[in-house]
């Protein structure tokens, strides 16, 4: 007599070593912690904010001078990718506050990452991702309006906002930009703080950041929304708000990294 076949069960998936089961509201705890770090000796943090505003104004001026101001929005979105790379001193300040060490602008500027060379490599890869993002925006405009000399920022803006072809471009561009943004956010959110405090290679750090982000979607998505809201507020205020918003978000990102990296296991 034939024995019945054993029942089939779905394969058990091992739990992610990065999952921390944190609620979405944890992102506001990171924001409060970032604000607390900012309020302790705010001068050095404000210097970082002023530096970022100066860099942003310089980039916009360069785009205007080269007749590519239409790339301002993708460039602003690309800032979300490279923003963590410029916050090394802010991470150092948060680390020092947590360790009850003295804080000074000099100490923040002299901060030496544990993985110095790999940090530079990660910054290069993130910069290339921003470049590809800008090229994708340029190519999308050419696909919808043809390979012809750029008509100028004012006419290009009119084409995009007042024509059916332009509305379609906005929809497609938003979808493509969303894919870039989601991937870039996932690989950059924790990779820079990780290289700042641990000895890792750049590819491992980027991949681990992706795993940590996707394994903790509720708080990381909420944090991403907070970052986007902060950047939007900075734009509304003519980038003046970035002087405070950037340091607060930088300090908050360090606390996000420490919250999810606790007992973190390498993949």
């Amino acid at each position: 007599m034939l024995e019945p076949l054993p029942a089939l069960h779905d394969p058990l998936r091992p739990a992610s070593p990065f999952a921390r089961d944190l609620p979405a509201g944890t992102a506001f705890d990171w924001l409060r912690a970032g604000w607390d770090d900012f309020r302790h000796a705010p001068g050095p943090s404000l210097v970082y904010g002023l530096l970022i505003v100066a860099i942003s104004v310089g980039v916009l001026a360069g785009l205007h001078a080269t007749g590519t101001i239409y790339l301002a929005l993708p460039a602003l979105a690309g800032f979300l990718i490279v923003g963590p790379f410029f916050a090394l001193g802010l991470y150092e300040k948060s680390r020092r506050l947590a360790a009850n060490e003295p804080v000074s602008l000099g100490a923040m500027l002299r901060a030496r990452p544990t993985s110095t060379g790999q940090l530079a490599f990660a910054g290069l890869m993130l910069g290339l991702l921003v470049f590809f993002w800008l090229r994708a925006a340029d190519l999308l405009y050419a696909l919808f309006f043809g390979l012809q000399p750029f008509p100028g920022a004012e006419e290009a803006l009119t084409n995009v906002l007042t024509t059916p072809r332009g509305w379609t471009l906005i929809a497609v561009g938003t979808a493509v930009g969303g894919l870039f943004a989601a991937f870039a956010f996932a690989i950059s959110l924790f990779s820079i703080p990780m290289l700042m405090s641990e000895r890792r290679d750049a590819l491992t750090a980027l991949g681990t950041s992706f795993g940590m982000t996707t394994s903790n979607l509720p708080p990381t998505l909420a944090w991403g929304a907070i970052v986007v809201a902060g950047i939007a507020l900075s734009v509304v205020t003519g980038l003046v708000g970035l002087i405070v918003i950037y340091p607060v978000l930088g300090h908050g990102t360090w606390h996000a990294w420490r919250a999810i990296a606790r007992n973190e296991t390498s993949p």
Side-chain angles (χ1 to χ4, degrees), residues 80-132:
L80 299 175
I81 305 175
V82 297
F85 183 77
F86 291 108
L88 296 179
L90 299 173
Y91 304 152
E92 175 65 10
K93 178 183 174 181
S94 292
R95 186 197 68 78
R96 284 177 169 269
L97 289 174
N100 292 318
E101 298 178 6
V103 173
S104 67
L105 179 60
M108 294 168 65
L109 294 176
R110 292 191 303 270
R112 183 177 179 83
T114 303
S115 303
T116 305
Q118 294 300 315
L119 182 65
F121 186 45
L124 175 61
M125 288 189 288
L126 293 176
L128 288 175
L129 184 56
V130 174
F131 174 78
F132 289 138

Side-chain angles (χ1 to χ4, degrees), residues 22 25-35 189-190 216 219-220 223 248 251-253 255-257 259-260:
L22 299 173
T26 305
F28 293 98
D29 295 335
W30 301 338
L31 183 63
R32 282 189 290 269
W35 173 249
L189 180 58
F190 300 120
N216 298 275
T220 54
W223 182 248
V248 172
H251 292 310
T253 298
H255 288 280
W257 148 246
I260 294 180

Side-chain angles (χ1 to χ4, degrees), residues 73-74 77-78 80-81 129 132-134 136-137 140 169-185:
L73 186 58
L80 299 175
I81 305 175
L129 184 56
F132 289 138
W133 193 336
L134 294 177
L140 280 176
L169 172 60
I170 291 175
V172 174
T174 300
V176 173
L179 292 176
F180 266 103
F183 177 73
F185 176 75

